[in-house]
């Protein structure tokens, strides 16, 4: 550090150009907080005298504003919308060239600006007096000649003229306040403007002169650390630039997987050290993922791009599984018929596969009110197109526009009836009948395919549109355990081109796997360790072609593909008036039928006989006069209570029944001579038997 000038970190970082990075800085001295340990973004950063810091990137965070008058300091965000004006310098300039050199880069875009002269100068045959105010219009540059400044001069009585002054003109020049305004970004992008003083344009804010300094987020590495750390350039640390003197010092450079892809191919194969392991909640479920732990090593053989497909197992299993499979997979597939649960699914599939043929697997009854046709198990349908049709609703001539799928009902030709011709129906003669399936119609269909050929995975993606249902009929012999074998059905959800890194572990370098860099987040660094094979001969690698992934992977894949399929159509609304009239007819018909069933039958017992059951007591007869218009008789007033002379309780006379009176009332029940019913008279003996039966029943 001898002979090198130490500068504050803030000042030195502000002087760096991003194109000149990386830079190596050495800590000289400074004010350290909490024992020279900074807690920044969750990581401890310790700066001690003599530490080497390799700055690999800087990012503008904010702007520090210092009041020249009272040294107050405050920060403004980089996207601050306020405007600033340049405060003219108090000291004069001796030449025009000196004054123009402090203007911002791209002078022509910041014109015009105004200055004044305090002494008389003569240019050619033109003399400018002291106090003249000139406005710079342009800078004229001629090859082989001295540059000139074309200015506008306003004299007395509004007399104006233009004059071209050589840029080397001597005199006493002072800046005048210009009307041009600058944003925070404009000031920070120009080294010349950063050295000037400014004031707010708004009159409501302070009009004092401010010095603006950028505050950067510094991305750096240290020779004793293995990860990238970040810290603000406003730390009160003095540093010195030792890039030239410490060029041979090795720094661990952390790289993300996308950054590894940008390395030249000559860097591979290489032994890599894992600095930050992948997230535990990764979207991959492969066997090699748990082995990618921190501080462990892995071999990167080569980088490239692999064509892959996303497979999903059938929904009938307890848990669906998803696989990311390379199109170099050596197994063979057969197409599987797809199953559909609605006419809308048929429509979506027919858009991808024109001429789709399906077979009905569950019967559907015809519903004229809903416009649904009748289907039988085994019906063969060919999807033609989707049309907007008018369907009769409720059979009353009320039409409603719905989207329906036009299908042909195919029929197998009958050999016995080949000679018969039906001139009335030409479609039946050809063995086809057209039917309409509303898109909201529920149903059960299965695709009819006559293809029994075995395909490679890449051939399926070329010849057929996706999604496609398949089944593995021969495993990949290069895989020790093929996870795709054993599934009754697999669906190819989509195809993609993934940037990958072919890697393996040092203890088994020939068993490789492909790491999809877009779906795996980890930090690594190149090492100088020797490769684990002798003589520099790369072993023949067996690449694992199947990677199990989570359902989150499927959702993210669909999101990136921009799939935004509209929901299936809803059934049309019912005609409430028609439904109400039909329901009222049904209810009236039901009521009439119930009324007929309730008509009295001569063979049925009367209400009095029905009440004489074992589980129900016969109600007591009404007292005489209750049904008359006369009010009921008033009973005698209860006599006053007598003085108690004995401890013996008096009998309860209110619940004592007169058996003779009761028998008389029962005997009074006789047949009604005017009634159409022919019931026998209830005799006393039968009533007595019923009474005893009721009294012997236990009620719970």
């Amino acid at each position: 550090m001898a002979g090198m000038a130490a500068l504050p970190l803030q000042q030195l970082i502000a002087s760096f150009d991003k194109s000149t990075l990386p830079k190596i800085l050495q800590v000289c001295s400074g004010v350290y907080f909490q024992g020279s340990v900074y807690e920044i973004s969750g990581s401890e950063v310790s700066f001690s005298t003599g530490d080497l810091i390799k700055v690999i990137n800087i990012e503008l965070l904010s702007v520090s504003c210092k009041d020249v008058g009272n040294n107050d300091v405050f920060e403004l965000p980089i996207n601050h919308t306020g405007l600033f004006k340049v405060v003219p310098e108090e000291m004069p300039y001796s030449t025009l060239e000196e004054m123009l050199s402090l203007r911002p880069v791209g002078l022509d875009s910041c014109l015009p600006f105004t200055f004044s002269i305090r002494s008389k100068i003569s240019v050619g045959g033109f003399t400018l007096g002291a106090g003249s105010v000139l406005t710079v219009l342009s800078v004229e540059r001629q090859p082989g000649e001295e540059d000139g400044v074309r200015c506008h001069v306003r004299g007395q009585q509004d007399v104006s003229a233009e004059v071209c002054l050589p840029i080397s003109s001597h005199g006493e020049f002072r800046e005048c306040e210009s009307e041009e305004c600058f944003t925070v970004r404009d000031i920070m992008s120009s080294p010349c403007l950063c050295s000037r003083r400014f004031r707010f344009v708004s009159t409501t804010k302070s009009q004092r002169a401010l010095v603006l300094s950028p505050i950067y987020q510094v991305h750096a590495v240290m020779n004793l650390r293995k990860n990238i750390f970040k810290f603000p350039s406003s730390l009160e640390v003095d540093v010195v630039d030792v890039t030239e003197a410490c060029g041979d010092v090795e720094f661990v450079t952390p790289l993300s997987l996308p950054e590894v892809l940008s390395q030249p191919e000559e860097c591979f194969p290489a032994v890599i050290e894992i600095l930050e392991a992948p997230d535990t909640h990764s979207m991959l479920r492969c066997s090699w993922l748990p082995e990618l732990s921190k501080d462990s090593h892995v071999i990167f053989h080569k980088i490239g791009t692999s064509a892959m497909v996303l497979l999903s197992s059938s929904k009938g299993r307890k848990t669906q599984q998803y696989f990311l499979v390379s199109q170099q997979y050596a197994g063979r597939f057969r197409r599987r018929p797809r199953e559909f649960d609605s006419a809308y699914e048929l429509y979506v599939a027919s858009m991808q596969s024109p001429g789709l043929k399906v077979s009905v697997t569950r019967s559907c009854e015809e519903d004229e009110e809903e416009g649904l046709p009748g289907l039988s198990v085994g019906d063969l349908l060919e999807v033609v197109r989707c049309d907007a049709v008018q369907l009769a609703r409720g059979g009353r001539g009320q039409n409603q526009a719905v989207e329906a799928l036009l299908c042909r009902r195919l029929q197998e030709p009958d050999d016995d009836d080949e000679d018969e011709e039906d001139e009335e129906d030409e479609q039946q003669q050809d063995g086809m009948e057209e039917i309409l399936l509303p898109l909201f119609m529920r149903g059960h269909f299965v695709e009819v395919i006559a293809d029994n050929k075995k395909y490679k995975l890449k051939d399926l993606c070329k010849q057929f549109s996706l999604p496609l249902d398949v089944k593995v009929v021969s495993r990949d012999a290069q895989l020790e355990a093929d996870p795709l074998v054993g599934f009754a059905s697999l669906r190819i959800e989509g195809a993609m081109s993934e940037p990958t890194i072919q890697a393996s572990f040092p203890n088994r370098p020939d068993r490789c796997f492909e790491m999809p860099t877009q779906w795996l987040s980890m930090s690594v660094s190149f090492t100088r360790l020797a490769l684990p094979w002798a003589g520099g001969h790369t072993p023949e690698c067996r690449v694992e072609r199947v990677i199990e992934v989570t359902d989150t992977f499927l959702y993210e894949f669909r999101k990136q593909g921009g799939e935004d399929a509209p929901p299936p159509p809803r059934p049309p609304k019912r005609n409430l008036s028609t439904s109400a009239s039909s329901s009222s007819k049904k209810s009236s018909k039901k009521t009439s039928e119930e009324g007929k069933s309730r008509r009295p039958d001569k063979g049925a017992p009367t209400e009095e006989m029905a009440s004489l059951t074992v589980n129900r007591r016969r109600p007591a007869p009404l007292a005489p006069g209750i049904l008359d218009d006369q009010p009921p008789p008033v009973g005698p007033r209860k006599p006053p209570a007598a003085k108690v002379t004995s401890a013996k309780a008096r009998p309860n006379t209110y619940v004592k029944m007169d058996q003779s009176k009761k028998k008389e009332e029962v005997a009074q029940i006789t047949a009604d001579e005017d009634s159409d019913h022919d019931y026998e008279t209830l005799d006393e003996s039968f009533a007595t038997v019923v009474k005893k039966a009721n009294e012997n029943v236990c009620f719970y």
Side-chain angles (χ1 to χ4, degrees):
M1 296 189 301
M4 297 183 182
L7 297 175
L9 178 65
Q10 172 80 0
Q11 180 180 349
L12 187 58
I13 294 296
S15 65
F16 285 162
D17 187 359
K18 293 185 68 173
S19 61
T20 63
L21 298 179
K23 293 282 188 179
I24 300 177
L25 309 180
Q26 189 171 23
V27 178
C28 298
S29 62
V31 179
Y32 302 99
F33 300 99
Q34 298 179 1
S36 76
V37 176
Y38 299 93
E39 182 69 20
I40 301 174
S41 301
S43 61
E44 293 182 354
V45 179
S46 177
F47 290 151
S48 302
T49 301
D51 284 348
L52 295 178
I53 305 172
K54 186 176 183 179
V55 179
I56 59 177
N57 191 19
I58 55 176
E59 179 183 357
L60 186 60
L61 281 183
S62 58
V63 175
S64 174
C65 302
K66 182 179 179 181
D67 194 327
V68 178
N70 53 17
N71 292 330
D72 288 342
V73 179
F74 59 93
E75 288 189 18
L76 292 176
I78 192 61
N79 56 355
H80 181 66
T81 57
L83 299 177
F84 297 85
K85 282 187 176 181
V86 177
V87 176
E89 296 290 343
E90 297 179 359
M91 61 177 297
Y93 301 100
S94 58
T95 63
L96 284 177
E97 185 177 6
E98 181 183 1
M99 182 177 62
L100 294 177
S101 64
L102 297 179
R103 300 297 299 170
V105 177
L107 175 64
D108 296 340
S109 61
C110 299
L111 297 178
F113 76 94
T114 306
F115 67 96
S116 62
I117 56 176
R118 298 299 179 93
S119 59
K120 181 175 69 173
I121 61 174
S122 299
V123 180
F126 192 80
T127 303
L128 296 175
S132 300
V133 178
L134 292 81
T135 301
V136 179
L137 299 178
S138 62
V139 178
E140 296 184 354
R141 297 179 174 87
Q142 297 292 336
E145 298 182 5
E146 183 182 5
D147 293 344
V149 180
R150 181 165 295 280
C151 303
H152 178 271
V153 183
R154 183 173 296 277
Q156 298 178 353
Q157 298 179 355
D158 293 336
V159 177
S160 60
E162 288 188 5
V163 61
C164 186
L165 301 178
I167 199 171
S168 60
S169 299
H170 289 266
E172 186 178 348
F173 305 98
R174 290 181 179 270
E175 278 186 290
C176 299
E177 185 176 75
S178 176
E179 294 300 323
E180 55 186 328
C181 301
F182 303 94
T183 63
V184 171
R185 287 189 180 274
D186 295 336
I187 298 172
M188 293 298 103
S189 61
S190 172
C192 295
L193 285 178
C194 287
S195 62
R196 303 300 300 271
R197 296 180 301 168
F198 296 86
R199 67 173 181 85
F200 284 104
V201 173
S202 174
T203 56
T204 59
K205 298 182 179 180
S206 175
Q207 296 298 308
R208 293 184 179 181
L210 303 173
V211 175
L212 276 60
S213 303
I215 297 179
Y216 290 94
Q217 181 91 311
V218 182
H219 301 234
V221 293
M222 299 182 68
N223 57 340
L224 300 179
R225 299 175 64 94
K226 293 184 178 181
N227 60 335
I228 298 176
F229 64 98
K230 303 175 184 179
F231 59 92
S233 62
S234 57
L235 297 180
E236 297 182 9
V237 179
D238 291 339
V239 294
V240 62
D241 187 356
V242 293
T243 305
E244 299 295 335
C246 300
D248 297 335
V249 179
E250 293 186 4
F251 289 85
V252 175
T253 305
L255 300 173
S256 63
L257 294 185
E259 290 174 339
V260 172
L261 293 175
S262 63
Q263 301 299 314
E265 295 184 359
E266 293 77 14
C267 297
F268 303 96
V271 179
I272 306 298
E273 182 180 357
I274 300 176
L275 303 180
E276 293 181 7
D279 189 4
T280 55
H281 302 287
S282 174
M283 290 183 285
L284 307 182
R285 283 180 179 172
C286 39
S287 59
W288 45 264
L289 185 63
E291 300 186 48
L292 299 178
S293 58
K294 185 177 180 180
D295 297 332
S296 62
H297 293 85
V298 65
I299 302 173
F300 282 179
H301 293 264
K302 59 181 179 180
I303 57 178
T305 303
S306 298
M308 294 186 169
V309 297
L310 182 60
L311 298 180
S312 64
S313 62
S314 58
K315 298 181 181 179
R317 300 177 66 92
K318 293 182 179 179
T319 56
Q320 272 192 285
Q321 293 179 266
Y322 306 91
F323 301 94
L324 190 62
V325 185
S326 171
Q327 292 192 18
Q328 300 299 322
Y329 176 81
R332 294 294 187 270
F333 296 84
R334 275 201 182 103
R335 294 179 58 198
R336 290 278 298 174
R338 290 172 288 179
E339 296 182 0
F340 310 98
D341 295 329
S342 66
Y344 177 76
E345 294 182 11
L346 285 180
Y347 164 68
V348 175
S350 65
M351 297 294 293
Q352 302 170 350
S353 304
L356 177 65
K357 295 181 181 180
V358 294
S359 177
V360 179
T361 59
R362 188 178 299 180
S363 299
C364 300
E365 295 184 0
E366 183 178 2
D367 191 340
E368 295 182 358
E369 183 178 352
E370 295 294 331
L372 305 179
L375 298 176
S376 302
V377 174
D379 284 353
L380 186 61
L381 304 179
E382 180 183 2
V383 180
V384 180
R385 63 179 181 274
C386 181
D387 291 332
V389 297
Q390 299 286 335
L391 294 182
R393 306 285 291 167
R396 294 180 173 272
Q398 299 177 358
N399 296 337
Q400 189 170 0
V402 297
E403 290 185 344
L405 204 61
L406 178 63
C407 301
R408 293 194 185 100
R409 196 197 306 262
L410 306 179
Q411 298 178 358
E412 297 182 0
D414 191 355
D415 296 338
D416 297 336
D417 299 335
E418 288 182 355
D419 298 335
E420 298 181 0
E421 294 182 359
D422 190 356
E423 298 179 356
E424 297 179 357
D425 192 351
E426 184 179 358
Q427 291 182 348
Q428 290 185 359
Q429 180 182 0
D430 296 335
M432 289 183 291
E433 174 189 356
E434 291 186 350
I435 60 173
L436 291 173
L437 304 181
L439 293 188
F440 60 83
M441 176 181 175
R442 303 290 298 176
H444 298 272
F445 312 92
V446 63
E447 184 179 10
V448 177
I449 56 176
D451 186 5
N452 201 28
K453 183 181 176 182
K454 296 180 181 180
Y455 292 92
K456 294 181 180 180
L457 187 57
K458 59 181 180 181
D459 295 335
L460 287 172
C461 298
K462 292 179 181 179
Q463 299 181 21
F464 303 99
S465 58
L466 304 180
L468 185 68
D469 289 357
V470 295
K471 176 181 172 59
V472 178
V473 293
S474 61
R475 63 184 297 272
D476 188 346
Q478 297 181 0
L479 302 179
E480 293 184 1
D482 192 342
L484 303 182
V485 176
F487 288 96
S489 179
L490 293 169
R491 170 162 292 188
I492 305 178
E493 300 287 350
M496 65 194 81
S497 181
E498 285 292 325
T500 58
I501 300 175
Q502 184 174 315
S504 67
F505 295 103
N507 58 345
R508 46 183 189 276
D510 58 332
R511 295 173 55 184
C512 297
F513 51 88
E514 291 182 321
M515 303 172 61
T517 59
Q518 185 179 357
W519 308 95
L520 198 61
S521 176
M522 56 187 297
S523 178
V524 300
S525 66
F526 283 84
T527 68
R528 295 187 177 182
L529 297 176
L531 294 169
W533 51 74
H537 299 289
T538 305
E540 185 178 355
C541 297
R542 299 175 60 184
V543 183
E544 185 176 343
R545 304 294 186 185
V546 182
I547 304 174
E548 185 174 358
V549 297
T550 64
D551 54 353
T552 308
F553 187 97
L554 175 64
Y555 302 147
E556 293 296 329
F557 169 73
R558 290 178 175 174
K559 187 186 301 183
Q560 290 185 2
E563 294 185 8
D564 191 13
R570 292 183 176 182
K573 294 183 178 180
R574 296 174 178 271
N575 193 331
L576 298 180
S577 59
T578 306
S579 302
S581 60
S582 60
S583 60
S584 61
K585 286 184 178 181
K586 293 180 180 179
S587 60
S588 61
K589 183 178 180 181
K590 183 177 181 181
T591 305
S592 62
E593 292 178 354
E594 291 180 354
K596 292 180 180 179
S597 62
R598 292 179 181 176
R599 289 182 181 177
D601 189 3
K602 292 184 179 182
T606 59
E607 183 177 357
E608 291 81 357
M609 287 296 294
S611 63
L612 296 176
T613 60
V614 177
N615 296 327
R616 181 178 177 185
R617 294 181 180 272
R618 179 177 178 271
L622 298 176
I626 292 299
L627 300 178
D628 301 336
D629 295 335
Q630 299 297 330
V634 181
R637 183 181 298 274
K638 184 178 181 181
K643 186 177 182 181
V644 179
T645 57
S646 175
K648 186 178 181 181
R650 297 179 61 185
N652 188 354
T653 58
Y654 295 100
V655 298
K656 186 176 181 181
M657 299 181 64
D658 189 356
Q659 298 295 335
S660 61
K661 185 176 180 181
K662 181 179 180 182
K663 292 179 181 179
E664 181 181 357
E665 292 174 354
V666 174
Q668 289 178 357
I669 301 176
T670 58
D672 188 3
E673 297 179 356
D674 298 333
S675 175
D676 296 336
H677 303 287
D678 188 11
Y679 297 124
E680 296 182 357
T681 304
L682 181 64
D683 57 358
E684 183 179 353
S685 60
F686 179 74
T688 304
V689 173
V690 173
K691 173 180 177 297
K692 290 182 179 181
N694 289 333
E695 291 176 352
N696 293 332
V697 173
C698 295
F699 295 95
Y700 294 91

